[in-house]
Amino acid sequence: MNHVLVPHFCRKGLLGLTAGLAICLATATPVFAEDSNLPSLGGVGGGLISEQQEAAIGQQVLQSIRRSTPEIGDPLVLDYLSTLVHRLVPYAQLQNRDLKMVVIDSDEINAFAVPGGVIGVNGGLFLNAKTEQEFASVMAHELGHLVQRHFARRMERQEQNAPLAMAGMLAGIILSAVTKSDVGIATIAGSQAAAVQNMLQYSRANEREADRVGLDMLEAAGFDPEGMPEMFEIMMRQSRLQGGEALEYLQTHPLTENRIADTRNRANQYPQREYDDSLEYHLVRARIMVHYAQTPEKAVEMFQEYVGRKDALPPPSARYGLAVAKLAADDAPGAEKILKDLLKDYPGRITFQVTLAETLTREKKTDEAIALMDEALRRNPGNYPIRYQLGDSLYAGNHAQRAAEVYGKLANDYPEKAYIWLKLSDAEGQARNIVGVHRARAEYYLLMGDQEAAIRQLREAQNKAPPGTPTHEIVTQRLSQITRAMHEDQQ
């Protein structure tokens, strides 16, 4: 099986950052747009922090997130987030549009965008944004920070401290992005702490810039600009309910009543029209609501009430949430009935099909689940959630070789998703392809930042692959590439 070679990552920890910046590169395609009143930021290499260095920082952030915080890997959630963000991207003056999405498993409101095109969101944002317009406004605001390169600009103003302080700054932003801001700061000793605190807290001018860019993006992409002040008001109310303690998001994004009023005034200046949420947003939100329910049984009770009330959630999402809750509560037959009824009303709806296949797989009806996903894939070639669930159903049904093929193609298409490499490794093991097991595990360890473990896995694969075969040659080349990169990183 031919795997795409993923970029190697900087070695464990932050000591190799300076060397890593010269190694972990990403291609940026310049995009030209009409002039605006916002400041010009220059192009690649136009300041202390180049686009290539930003890409390296982004890779380091992803590596740290994988190692230090739980993520939500739900393919339906990730696919929705990617679709929404890429609906906004054509209206963002981004030089690097190769964005990576991360969903942090936390019920607090938070979202972040860091150099290298990393977009992160906590599951809690889905919980608290009751409309798609509100949710999209946060994503647009974060893209605004990337468009204006706020983080890079702040680092450039710290030039007198670079590159010595760069590793500390990076450590702070990684930990603050995925936990609490004070945790990130607490890890940095001495005089660097103040510098990092300054780096993490966007100024009011930065926030106004990101608001303006985000509002333009929202309107151009067909979202309601009013969603931004509405979401800010939700955050302000939540902060007050917590006794004045700033929400995780507000610790790095200062919010004032004046700023809310300003965004509302700006939103009112756009042409008035009707805006409708997509059904998909509310289906994904229902999945998140089940995920964070106190117990699956409580989730069943909650959605049963929503179905009965008819006005709490859009009707299909209430019924769908009940099905997801029943599946979580081990009532797969109950979930199956609801999902099949939903598919009668919404034939071909991918989210309902994927969840039904998940349910059938749980009931050990794997042949039915596989047939359902095969048909769905014929109608929707390349769809990520369908392919992911097909792999899971094949693996559960002991169709190991085909499961490995599905996971292998997914790993080729989404090489940054570490958990897919683990699934591929398991499927290769079930298929008794030991060389494939070691190759997949090597890629997983690379994504986790452990190059030495990756090299050990590839040496095992090299020893087990027959000499002179294409597989042996591919493994040898990959081993040489990673070994060379590790040596460069240590210099």
Side-chain angles (χ1 to χ4, degrees), residues 113-411:
V114 297
V118 179
I119 304 288
V121 56
N122 281 14
L125 185 61
F126 286 97
L127 288 180
N128 289 277
K130 293 182 172 57
T131 72
E132 186 174 38
Q133 316 306 314
E134 293 167 355
F135 184 90
S137 75
V138 179
M139 296 297 97
H141 177 89
E142 294 307 318
L143 283 171
H145 283 304
L146 287 184
V147 167
Q148 295 304 110
R149 295 187 69 209
H150 284 149
F151 181 78
R153 288 161 63 189
R154 296 174 77 81
M155 289 190 77
E156 286 165 6
R157 285 200 292 270
Q158 298 288 331
E159 184 170 1
Q160 66 273 18
N161 297 324
L164 181 62
M166 190 180 293
M169 292 175 183
L170 179 58
I173 196 168
I174 290 172
L175 294 176
S176 297
V178 300
T179 58
K180 297 281 191 182
S181 289
D182 55 353
V183 173
I185 300 304
T187 64
I188 304 160
S191 60
Q192 285 187 352
V196 175
Q197 181 69 55
N198 184 48
M199 297 290 301
L200 292 171
Q201 289 185 338
Y202 289 118
S203 69
R204 292 184 180 182
N206 289 157
E207 291 300 279
R208 286 195 298 271
E209 285 182 5
D211 291 344
R212 291 169 62 188
V213 171
L215 286 167
D216 284 343
M217 261 187 271
L218 287 170
E219 199 276 335
F223 291 108
D224 187 357
E226 289 281 352
M228 186 175 288
E230 289 170 1
M231 191 66 219
F232 288 164
E233 287 179 346
I234 289 172
M235 293 178 184
M236 189 70 82
R237 286 196 300 270
Q238 289 276 37
S239 185
R240 287 168 179 160
L241 288 173
Q242 293 182 186
E245 179 184 352
L247 297 175
E248 186 173 342
Y249 186 76
L250 301 185
Q251 291 179 13
T252 54
H253 297 72
L255 181 62
T256 64
E257 294 285 0
N258 286 341
R259 184 173 156 216
I260 295 174
D262 182 60
T263 55
R264 188 169 295 284
N265 288 337
R266 289 183 181 277
N268 288 336
Q269 295 173 16
Y270 293 96
Q272 296 297 305
R273 54 176 167 153
E274 293 294 323
Y275 297 93
D276 294 317
D277 284 357
S278 70
L279 174 57
E280 196 61 30
Y281 176 73
H282 293 282
L283 299 180
V284 168
R285 185 167 180 261
R287 291 181 72 85
I288 294 291
M289 291 168 73
V290 172
H291 179 75
Y292 288 116
Q294 188 175 5
T295 65
E297 292 72 23
K298 292 286 187 183
V300 170
E301 292 177 10
M302 176 175 64
F303 278 100
Q304 281 175 334
E305 180 186 350
Y306 290 159
V307 170
R309 283 170 48 189
K310 303 294 184 186
D311 61 344
L313 296 172
S317 62
R319 291 163 62 196
Y320 175 70
L322 180 58
V324 175
K326 283 180 175 289
L327 182 60
D330 293 325
D331 181 9
E336 179 185 347
K337 182 180 185 308
I338 295 171
L339 290 164
K340 286 184 173 178
D341 287 343
L342 282 168
L343 279 167
K344 290 176 184 176
D345 297 335
Y346 301 87
R349 186 90 199 180
I350 291 173
T351 298
F352 298 157
Q353 292 177 317
V354 168
T355 311
L356 177 57
E358 180 186 4
T359 302
L360 293 169
T361 301
R362 187 82 62 86
E363 296 179 280
K364 302 190 185 303
K365 299 178 182 178
T366 52
D367 288 345
E368 187 177 347
I370 292 166
L372 178 62
M373 291 295 90
D374 278 336
E375 177 59 27
L377 197 57
R378 279 191 288 272
R379 293 177 179 272
N380 307 276
N383 180 269
Y384 173 63
I386 294 173
R387 295 163 67 195
Y388 189 98
Q389 183 56 50
L390 176 59
D392 283 0
S393 297
L394 287 164
Y395 181 78
N398 294 313
H399 300 284
Q401 185 58 49
R402 192 173 167 216
E405 291 172 1
V406 171
Y407 289 138
K409 290 177 180 177
L410 279 173

Side-chain angles (χ1 to χ4, degrees), residues 10-21 23 60 489-490:
C10 309
R11 69 190 173 100
K12 230 179 207 179
L14 297 170
L15 297 179
L17 175 62
T18 304
L21 290 176
I23 298 170
Q60 194 82 326
D489 209 21
Q490 291 174 341

Side-chain angles (χ1 to χ4, degrees), residues 3 421 424-425 428 435-445:
H3 298 306
W421 292 103
L424 175 58
S425 175
E428 295 284 24
V435 173
V437 170
H438 290 304
R439 290 179 64 189
R441 286 181 180 171
E443 301 301 335
Y444 169 78
Y445 284 125

Side-chain angles (χ1 to χ4, degrees), residues 389-467:
Q389 183 56 50
L390 176 59
D392 283 0
S393 297
L394 287 164
Y395 181 78
N398 294 313
H399 300 284
Q401 185 58 49
R402 192 173 167 216
E405 291 172 1
V406 171
Y407 289 138
K409 290 177 180 177
L410 279 173
N412 273 308
D413 293 342
Y414 303 95
E416 78 284 357
K417 297 187 185 301
Y419 50 85
I420 293 179
W421 292 103
L422 281 182
K423 284 182 172 286
L424 175 58
S425 175
D426 290 343
E428 295 284 24
Q430 191 182 75
R432 303 185 187 282
N433 178 8
I434 304 305
V435 173
V437 170
H438 290 304
R439 290 179 64 189
R441 286 181 180 171
E443 301 301 335
Y444 169 78
Y445 284 125
L446 279 177
L447 291 174
M448 302 302 289
D450 193 340
Q451 290 175 319
E452 293 181 356
I455 288 171
R456 287 195 299 270
Q457 291 294 326
L458 286 172
R459 283 176 177 159
E460 289 288 341
Q462 187 182 48
N463 291 336
K464 291 178 172 60

